[in-house]
Amino acid sequence: MMNAQNLSFGSAYFIEPNNDPMETHMLAVLVDNEPGVLARVIGMFSGRGYNIESLTVSETEHAEKLSRITVVTRATPQVLNQIRHQLERIIPVHRVVDLTVRAREQGQDGPIERELALIKVAGEGADRVEALRLAEAFHAKVIDATVEHFIFEITGRSAKVDQFISIMEPLGLVEICRTGVSAMNRGPEGM
């Protein structure tokens, strides 16, 4: 008889306890730019109980009608390998590159990553002045302002965006809109 401690409810499958460390990886997936492709990729993740922490997609090669999907996910190395192999089997997928693994193979900490966020902060007096001061320190741009609020634009690594959001919370954070991570490996080679 199984007890509740041996069950993994975060997944579609019951898996034996695994002590492998969880890792966050960025995957680049080159696909045909056609209806339903994104749904198939997302369906593979959800159907197997894998979480997507960030997702961006856009057409990158117009003449060839190809789009690039960048997925950030967190799992054990074994599960990450399964995810990559399962993505490769989806018919309109041309190529899957684990950008995190490729960066390590090149002796780097990780791929170049950037994220854009729009952050609305409403405040008065000292909070307003502090929000502006901190935005300058983080190189965030004011893209809209009234006497009641600011909308900041910040670009950088996800950790920088997270940090900026956390310091804006006590100053009157109202709303956040994030693009998700775009990532690319260093060096002259393409994906």
Side-chain angles (χ1 to χ4, degrees):
M1 183 163 124
M2 291 183 135
N3 64 33
Q5 293 174 338
N6 291 334
L7 301 178
S8 173
F9 292 105
S11 172
Y13 305 103
F14 295 116
I15 301 173
E16 289 296 317
N18 187 340
N19 294 330
D20 287 346
M22 298 286 281
E23 298 179 0
T24 300
H25 281 236
M26 294 175 204
L27 306 173
V29 186
L30 192 63
V31 299
D32 288 337
N33 184 14
E34 61 185 37
V37 174
L38 181 60
R40 282 183 243 159
V41 170
I42 301 303
M44 189 282 299
F45 277 84
S46 65
R48 288 165 178 80
Y50 305 145
N51 187 42
I52 294 174
E53 293 186 4
S54 175
L55 174 73
T56 59
V57 61
S58 182
E59 184 176 67
T60 56
E61 298 179 32
H62 186 69
E64 291 83 13
K65 295 187 170 78
L66 296 176
S67 289
R68 180 180 174 135
I69 301 171
T70 304
V71 180
V72 179
T73 190
R74 184 169 172 79
T76 63
Q78 178 185 2
V79 170
L80 288 162
N81 196 37
Q82 288 174 350
I83 289 170
R84 189 176 52 78
H85 288 303
Q86 289 166 353
L87 283 170
E88 288 170 343
R89 288 196 301 246
I90 296 174
I91 295 301
V93 171
H94 293 271
R95 188 146 191 224
V96 179
V97 176
D98 187 327
L99 299 173
T100 305
V101 168
R102 182 172 283 174
R104 286 181 189 158
E105 290 170 353
Q106 295 172 347
Q108 301 157 355
D109 291 338
I112 300 291
E113 73 169 275
R114 291 294 180 267
E115 183 175 8
L116 173 98
L118 301 177
I119 299 159
K120 186 183 291 186
V121 178
E124 298 175 351
D127 286 347
R128 186 174 175 82
V129 172
E130 183 66 1
L132 277 174
R133 187 186 70 75
L134 290 167
E136 187 177 332
F138 275 81
H139 303 288
K141 298 177 192 172
V142 176
I143 59 170
D144 185 54
T146 67
V147 294
E148 300 170 329
H149 83 283
F150 293 109
I151 296 178
F152 297 109
E153 174 187 307
I154 186 168
T155 305
R157 295 181 61 122
S158 294
K160 175 185 175 184
V161 174
D162 291 340
Q163 186 179 14
F164 184 69
I165 289 168
S166 70
I167 65 170
M168 287 296 145
E169 282 184 46
L171 300 175
L173 181 67
V174 175
E175 185 178 359
I176 304 164
C177 179
R178 296 175 77 157
T179 61
V181 174
S182 292
M184 185 177 285
N185 284 116
R186 291 174 171 87
E189 302 85 25
M191 74 173 270

